[in-house]
């Protein structure tokens, strides 16, 4: 029947009974071919409809892809602009650090000049103190000699007075003997001559004692004056010594300030160098990003852009931008870094600081390209000496 015929797609024609007539079979064959053509036409219509839907979907996806590529390239340009902004900030910071390093070096030079001036002034004051002490010692020696002379004159005056007293006693005794002889009516010529001689000796002894006592008084006044002058010279020497100590303290303070300024200049120079290198790295990254952007603008696909943005998140870029750059990553320490003064031949001389690759550093005076004079050396383990 027709139902079974259409159900099996026309294959029922081969299952028809053998008693069906040839005309009927031929008519059925024509019907089958017609139905088959209709079925094929229907399939073509369905395929055309599906293809139209596919094309429409492809067009929509193309527009979406173009929109996403435009947005992605905008984000990528923003990403590159941020890199350029970071590079500009790094360069500005490098310039500031370089200016700070130059200023610190100038301050270190000024501090070194002040330290040298204070040191020279202290040395002059020490010479004055030495001269004042020598003068005070001379005055003291003269005063001691005058004191010894005074004591000798006082002893001579006392001895002369004692001699005069003895002569006076002898004269009184001779006068008594002469008076006794005169009372007895004896010859008193020798006794009177003896009295006259003793009186003359007494006068001489008395005058000598008076002269010695006068000389002792003058020597006493001179000695007192010399002692007073020696005391004044000693007090002046003590004042000069105190002033010299104060100047030495000032010189030491200026030297410490000079060393601190040199150390600060050395550190600022290191920071400035690291900042400059970081700025160079950022500049190179900006150039690379610009080149990569130019390449990607022609051939970058949405998927690759999204994968790249996932690997380099803008949030991380902004976070890195807001934070201070880690200069330690861009601070190569390949050789010893020296900051300080040099002579006309380019050798290290004067005051300077150096940092070695292993972490040790020296800050102080230099001579003939080598550390010489006062300085401070520290090692990586924290040990050091001055």
């Amino acid at each position: 029947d027709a139902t079974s015929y259409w159900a099996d797609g026309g294959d029922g024609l081969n299952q028809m009974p053998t008693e069906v007539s040839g005309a009927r079979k031929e008519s059925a064959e024509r019907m089958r071919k017609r139905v088959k053509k209709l079925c094929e036409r229907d399939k073509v219509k369905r395929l055309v409809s599906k293809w139209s839907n596919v094309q429409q979907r492809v067009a929509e996806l193309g527009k979406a892809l173009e929109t996403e590529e435009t947005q992605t390239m905008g984000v990528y340009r923003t990403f590159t602009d941020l890199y350029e902004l970071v590079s500009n900030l790094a360069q500005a910071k490098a310039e500031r650090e370089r200016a700070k390093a130059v200023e610190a070096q100038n301050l270190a030079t000024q501090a070194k000049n002040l330290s040298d001036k204070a040191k020279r002034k202290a040395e002059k004051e020490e010479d004055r103190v030495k001269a004042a002490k020598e003068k005070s010692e001379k005055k003291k020696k003269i005063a001691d000699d005058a004191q010894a002379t005074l004591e000798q004159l006082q002893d001579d005056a006392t001895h002369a007075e004692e001699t005069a007293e003895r002569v006076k006693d002898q004269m009184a005794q001779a006068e008594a003997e002469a008076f006794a002889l005169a009372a007895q009516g004896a010859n008193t010529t020798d006794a009177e001559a003896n009295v006259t001689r003793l009186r003359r000796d007494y006068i001489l002894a008395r005058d000598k004692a008076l002269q010695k006592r006068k000389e002792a008084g003058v020597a006493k006044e001179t000695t007192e004056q010399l002692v007073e002058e020696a005391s004044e010279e000693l007090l002046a020497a003590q004042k000069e010594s105190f002033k010299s100590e104060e100047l030495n303290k000032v010189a030491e303070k200026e030297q410490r300030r000079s060393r601190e300024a040199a150390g600060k200049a050395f550190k600022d120079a290191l920071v400035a160098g690291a900042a400059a290198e970081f700025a160079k790295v950022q500049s190179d990254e900006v150039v690379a990003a610009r080149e990569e952007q130019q390449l990607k603008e022609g051939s970058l696909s949405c998927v690759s852009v999204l994968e790249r943005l996932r690997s380099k998140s803008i949030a991380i870029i902004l976070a890195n931008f807001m934070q201070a750059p880690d200069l330690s990553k861009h601070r190569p320490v390949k050789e010893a870094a020296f900051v300080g003064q040099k002579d006309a031949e380019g050798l290290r001389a004067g005051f300077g600081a150096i940092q070695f690759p292993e972490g040790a550093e020296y800050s102080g005076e230099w001579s003939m390209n080598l550390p010489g004079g006062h300085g401070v050396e520290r090692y990586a383990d924290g040990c050091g000496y001055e």
Side-chain angles (χ1 to χ4, degrees):
D1 57 2
T3 303
S4 62
Y5 176 81
W6 297 117
D8 58 10
D11 292 338
L13 183 63
N14 298 326
Q15 301 175 4
M16 291 180 65
T18 55
E19 61 270 13
V20 177
S21 64
R24 191 177 176 185
K25 184 184 291 189
E26 185 178 346
S27 177
E29 181 66 23
R30 287 195 303 267
M31 182 63 70
R32 188 181 72 82
K33 289 180 180 180
R34 184 180 179 182
V35 171
K36 188 175 182 179
K37 288 181 180 180
L38 292 174
C39 291
E40 289 177 354
R41 188 180 298 172
D42 187 58
K43 288 181 179 180
V44 170
K45 288 182 178 179
R46 288 198 300 270
L47 289 174
V48 170
S49 178
K50 288 182 179 180
W51 175 248
S52 178
N53 293 333
V54 168
Q55 285 183 334
Q56 184 179 359
R57 181 60 178 165
V58 168
E60 293 175 355
L61 290 175
K63 291 181 180 180
L65 180 60
E66 184 179 357
T67 302
E68 290 180 356
E69 285 181 352
T70 303
Q71 294 176 353
T72 301
M73 290 310 302
V75 172
Y76 198 87
R77 282 191 292 271
T78 302
F79 166 76
T80 307
D81 293 339
L82 287 175
Y83 254 124
E84 186 173 1
L85 178 60
V86 172
S87 175
N88 294 334
L89 290 175
Q91 290 177 357
K93 184 173 183 180
E95 291 296 330
R96 290 196 301 270
E97 294 296 338
R98 190 178 297 111
K100 285 176 61 179
V102 172
E103 183 180 0
Q105 182 64 35
N106 294 334
L107 290 176
T109 303
Q110 293 177 4
K112 181 65 169 57
N113 294 334
L114 289 175
S115 175
D116 294 340
K117 184 177 180 180
K119 189 176 180 181
R120 289 193 298 269
K121 191 173 182 180
E123 290 175 353
K124 290 182 180 179
E125 194 63 30
E126 287 179 355
D127 294 337
R128 291 179 61 185
V129 169
K130 185 177 179 181
K133 286 183 177 180
E134 291 177 354
K135 188 175 181 180
S136 175
E137 290 176 356
K138 289 181 181 179
K139 287 287 185 180
K140 187 175 183 302
K141 185 177 180 181
I142 294 173
D144 292 340
D145 293 341
Q147 183 67 31
T149 302
L150 173 63
E151 292 176 355
Q152 182 65 37
L153 289 174
Q154 287 178 346
D155 293 339
D156 293 342
T158 302
H159 181 69
E161 289 174 350
E162 292 176 352
T163 302
E165 289 294 330
R166 286 197 302 272
V167 172
K168 183 179 180 180
D169 292 341
Q170 291 176 3
M171 183 185 67
Q173 185 178 0
E175 288 178 349
E177 291 177 355
F179 181 76
L181 290 174
Q184 294 175 2
N187 187 9
T188 60
T189 303
D190 294 336
E192 289 177 356
N194 186 30
V195 169
T196 302
R197 180 180 60 78
L198 290 173
R199 185 177 288 110
R200 186 175 62 254
D201 291 341
Y202 170 72
I203 293 172
L204 291 175
R206 185 189 61 186
D207 294 341
K208 184 177 180 181
L210 292 174
Q211 182 65 27
K212 291 291 184 180
R213 185 62 64 184
K214 184 178 180 180
E215 291 178 357
V218 174
K220 183 178 181 181
E221 292 177 357
T222 304
T223 301
E224 290 176 352
Q225 183 178 359
L226 290 174
V227 169
E228 184 178 358
E229 291 178 357
S231 299
E232 292 177 354
E233 293 293 338
L234 180 61
L235 182 61
Q238 291 175 350
K239 290 181 178 180
E240 293 293 338
S241 178
F242 179 75
K243 188 176 180 180
S244 176
E245 291 177 357
E246 293 295 327
L247 289 176
N248 284 328
K249 291 179 180 179
V250 173
E252 292 176 357
K253 184 178 179 180
E254 293 296 337
Q255 288 177 352
R256 286 195 299 270
R257 288 181 57 188
S258 177
R259 290 194 294 270
E260 291 174 357
K264 187 176 183 301
F266 175 70
K267 292 180 180 179
D268 288 342
L270 291 180
V271 173
E277 185 173 353
F278 178 76
K280 184 178 181 301
V281 171
Q282 292 297 321
S283 179
D284 293 341
E285 290 182 356
V286 168
V287 172
R290 288 296 184 190
E291 292 177 353
E292 187 175 0
Q293 178 185 349
Q294 291 175 359
L295 293 174
K296 292 295 183 180
E297 282 179 350
S299 60
L300 189 63
S301 66
C302 181
V303 176
S304 62
V305 171
L306 291 175
E307 290 297 327
R308 184 171 181 81
L309 289 178
R310 290 192 188 97
S311 62
K312 292 186 176 181
S313 173
I314 295 179
I316 296 176
I317 296 172
L318 290 175
N320 291 332
F321 167 72
M322 294 302 293
Q323 294 177 357
D326 187 4
L327 299 181
S328 62
K329 297 179 181 178
H330 308 281
R331 188 186 294 176
V333 184
K334 298 181 180 179
E335 58 183 8
F338 175 79
V339 176
Q341 299 174 341
K342 294 184 179 181
D343 57 13
E345 299 179 357
L347 300 178
R348 299 164 185 166
F351 195 88
I354 189 170
Q355 184 174 15
F356 298 95
E358 63 272 12
E361 61 180 21
Y362 169 79
S363 176
E365 297 178 352
W366 292 77
S367 177
M368 298 298 291
N369 213 37
L370 295 174
H374 186 273
V376 179
E377 187 168 356
R378 293 185 177 86
Y379 301 97
D381 57 0
C383 298
Y385 66 92
E386 181 175 355

